[in-house]
Amino acid sequence: MNRRAAQEVLPEGSDKARVVQAMFDTVAPRYDLVNRVMTFGLDRRWRRVTVAALGLPGGSTVADLACGTGNLCVDLARAGLVAIGFDVSAGMLTAAHTTAPLVRADVVRLPLPDRSVDGATCGFALRNLVDLRRFLDELGRIVRPGGRIGLLEVAEPSNAALRLGHRLYFTRIVPRIGAVLSDGRAYRYLPRSVAYLPAVDTLVGEVAGAGFPDVVRRTLSGGVVQLLLGTRA
Ligand SMILES: C[S@@+](CC[C@H](N)C(=O)[O-])C[C@H]1O[C@@H](n2cnc3c(N)ncnc32)[C@H](O)[C@@H]1O
């Protein structure tokens, strides 16, 4: 990590909420382009795997939480599911390219009744939340018993050589790609925001404790991404 990135402090609490929202408003117009470039297009595959792994029948209603520009909503619709997207960033929602209904809302206070959806997805947003536990409780509240969740997030490969290569790519190359195509500050934050994520066992335990006791964690693409899947008890 370069010196400038190291000097930028990771915000917490209401500061974090403000910084994250402003950051996504800023990067929104080129968010998808940067994603495609920095993941070599793999992000599309990760989202398709997430939707397929839900295993929900056609016509099921799925809330895509922190939907951003609606990438998961598009894949959910393609799979015959009825998606509704929720995100706090007006910029991301404006840049969205899905026909699914989109709602501007904080995912810890969703305008949805208890047990009202058959499933929920969340792509690459866990580390951006101020209160992850509260979000998981909200998931437990809105998903009906038997309903499914798929939470996609970045991860660190367990293989040491892969981890080193990934770390170098994530901390040296990704911020440069972001600076050229979008906003340097936002894409310096990206690798640093991984520090917000709890340890794997803690995260799995928290998802289980929120009402998804059968939670399983899969890794994708050599471990650079993790997918947490669970069924509401
Ligand atoms: C990295 S983007 C992921 C977007 C999308 N899920 C995807 O897979 O491309 C993270 C998203 O989380 C949203 N977000 C962060 N905190 C949020 C919150 N508390 N409530 C709703 N959305 C939030 C941001 O606005 C942003 O759109």
Side-chain angles (χ1 to χ4, degrees), residues 118-173:
D118 302 305
T121 50
C122 180
F124 305 107
L126 300 184
R127 67 190 184 284
N128 290 308
L129 303 175
V130 173
D131 190 341
L132 181 57
R133 289 283 278 277
R134 196 164 153 203
F135 167 69
L136 296 174
D137 287 344
E138 189 68 344
L139 268 183
R141 183 184 72 76
I142 63 162
V143 178
R144 65 157 170 85
R148 299 273 294 153
I149 57 163
L151 312 177
L152 193 57
E153 193 39 286
V154 295
E156 287 213 300
S158 51
N159 174 284
L162 273 181
R163 189 165 59 245
L164 179 63
H166 175 252
R167 203 171 279 173
L168 286 174
Y169 179 71
F170 214 34
T171 58
R172 308 267 170 166
I173 310 294

Side-chain angles (χ1 to χ4, degrees), residues 206-219:
E206 288 182 353
V207 175
F212 304 90
D214 71 344
V215 60
V216 290
R217 178 181 182 268
R218 282 172 61 180
T219 54

